[in-house]
């Protein structure tokens, strides 16, 4: 099989007869899909362990291991695209190096490094794939790393600025003047400390994952309309988070209700609904599908 542009090709691995599986053909797409599965599983292992330890196995499953349904859905969509029957691509010499580097990241004792390995695989597939379906799947795979790695990195570097923006928005809503990430309560009875877990940034990153998934599942093109609806989704998500925090500032005696499991669940489901509905109904429809 001939190689696409920019690389050398090697033959596909021939079908292997296994008594318990029958005939198995390892294609380039299925090989990297398997790598993504391994990297994703390793990357979320810390969250899964903490979720099971804190709340028990049944509750952890119900809460999807504290990993957004949007991320699970985007991951399954990317894998389905990689495993979709299409023209089989020959292995390239660069695949060995990329898979080796990604494997080393997966084996490191720091789960977060798995996202670097997945990002490397995504960039490599995006650059070297000979069909558009694989390139679009690679874009979704890379989008998975945004909330699970790049957002955390950005927060570590700019947490003060990010939390101050949230505090300014909350202060504007309730009519008080914040200092850094501390917002005085509306009744003057105390102050509200905005912690990193309450930042709008985490939910914003989910907007980008959802938009990337819908764009690449459909047209594969970022049009002005897709960008505009993604921005609208981002504004709505920030508004939900800021409104919840502002309600705590206005009604501090309802802190347990607004900040506890009930308030968190309501805000979480509202955020998911906004992201999913805008993505499903508006993003990715306005450009012809590329084959």
């Amino acid at each position: 099989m001939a190689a696409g542009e920019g690389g050398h090709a090697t033959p596909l691995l021939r079908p292997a007869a296994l008594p318990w599986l029958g005939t198995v053909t390892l294609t380039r797409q299925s090989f990297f899909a398997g790598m993504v599965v391994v990297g994703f599983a390793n990357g979320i292992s810390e969250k899964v362990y903490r979720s099971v330890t804190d709340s028990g196995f049944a509750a952890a499953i119900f809460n999807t291991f504290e990993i957004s349904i949007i991320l699970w859905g985007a991951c399954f969509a990317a894998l389905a695209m990689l495993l979709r029957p299409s023209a089989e691509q020959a292995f390239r010499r660069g695949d060995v190096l990329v898979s080796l580097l990604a494997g080393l990241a997966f084996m490191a004792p720091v789960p977060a490094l798995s996202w670097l390995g997945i990002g490397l695989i995504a960039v490599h597939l995006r650059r070297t794939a000979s069909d558009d379906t694989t390139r679009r799947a690679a874009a979704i795979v890379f989008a998975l790393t945004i909330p699970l790695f790049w957002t955390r990195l950005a927060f570590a570097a700019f947490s003060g600025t990010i939390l101050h923006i949230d505090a300014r928005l909350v202060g504007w809503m309730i009519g008080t003047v914040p200092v850094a990430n501390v917002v005085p309560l509306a009744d003057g009875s105390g102050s509200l400390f905005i912690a990193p877990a309450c930042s709008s940034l985490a939910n914003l990153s989910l907007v980008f994952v959802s938009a990337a998934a819908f764009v690449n599942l459909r047209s594969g093109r970022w049009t002005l309309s897709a960008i505009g609806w993604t921005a609208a989704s981002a504004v709505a998500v920030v508004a939900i988070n800021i409104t919840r925090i502002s309600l705590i500032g206005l009604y501090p005696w309802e802190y347990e209700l607004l900040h506890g499991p009930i308030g968190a669940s309501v805000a979480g489901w509202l955020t998911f609904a906004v992201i999913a509905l805008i993505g499903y109904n508006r993003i990715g429809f306005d450009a012809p599908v590329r084959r």
Side-chain angles (χ1 to χ4, degrees):
M1 183 176 293
E5 295 180 4
H8 299 284
T10 57
L12 291 168
L13 296 188
R14 296 189 178 280
L18 300 176
W20 59 93
L21 288 177
T23 301
V24 177
T25 302
L26 181 63
T27 66
R28 184 174 189 253
Q29 296 99 313
S30 61
F31 171 76
F32 278 114
M35 292 286 291
V36 170
V37 169
V38 172
F40 187 86
N42 192 57
I44 66 172
S45 60
E46 190 174 13
K47 273 201 165 195
V48 170
Y49 175 79
R50 186 169 59 246
S51 178
V52 172
T53 302
D54 292 345
S55 56
F57 190 72
I61 292 179
F62 181 78
N63 292 322
T64 62
F65 300 106
E66 299 180 7
I67 298 166
S68 173
I69 297 174
I70 292 171
L71 295 178
W72 288 110
C75 183
F76 288 136
L79 293 174
M81 292 177 74
L82 286 174
L83 297 174
R84 182 183 301 173
S86 61
E88 295 176 342
Q89 300 175 24
F91 283 88
R92 296 167 179 265
R93 292 179 182 175
D95 293 347
V96 175
L97 177 60
V98 169
S99 58
L100 177 62
L101 292 175
L104 290 174
F106 298 163
M107 290 188 294
V110 181
L113 290 180
S114 292
W115 304 115
L116 283 179
I118 289 178
L120 177 63
I121 289 172
V123 171
H124 177 67
L125 280 179
R126 181 78 179 178
R127 291 181 63 251
T128 61
S130 58
D131 70 295
D132 191 59
T133 298
T134 302
R135 282 193 289 269
R136 287 189 279 146
I140 299 176
V141 171
F142 186 82
L144 290 172
T145 68
I146 295 174
L148 296 167
F149 181 78
W150 300 110
T151 296
R152 295 181 182 184
L153 195 64
F155 200 89
F158 307 107
S159 59
T161 301
I162 293 168
L163 291 175
H164 184 57
I165 293 173
D166 280 321
R168 290 289 297 271
L169 291 172
V170 172
W172 177 73
M173 287 281 287
I174 67 176
T176 61
V177 180
V179 178
N181 59 329
V182 178
V183 185
L185 299 175
D187 61 4
S189 62
S191 297
L192 182 65
F193 176 81
I194 299 181
C198 299
S199 172
S200 301
L201 184 62
N203 288 336
L204 274 178
S205 64
L206 294 178
V207 171
F208 299 129
V209 174
S210 174
F214 282 114
V215 163
N216 286 287
L217 282 170
R218 290 167 176 160
S219 66
R221 299 182 181 181
W222 283 95
T223 62
L224 288 177
S225 176
I227 294 172
W229 281 108
T230 300
S233 181
V235 170
V237 164
V238 171
I240 291 170
N241 189 58
I242 295 301
T243 298
R244 179 190 174 207
I245 300 174
S246 297
L247 287 173
I248 297 173
L250 290 170
Y251 308 103
W253 54 89
E254 299 289 356
Y255 177 83
E256 291 299 328
L257 173 65
L258 295 168
H259 192 268
I262 295 177
S265 296
V266 171
W269 281 108
L270 278 176
T271 298
F272 169 74
V274 165
I275 295 174
L277 289 174
I278 291 178
Y280 183 78
N281 290 294
R282 295 297 178 183
I283 297 177
F285 284 115
D286 56 325
V289 178
R290 296 187 296 182
R291 299 294 182 185

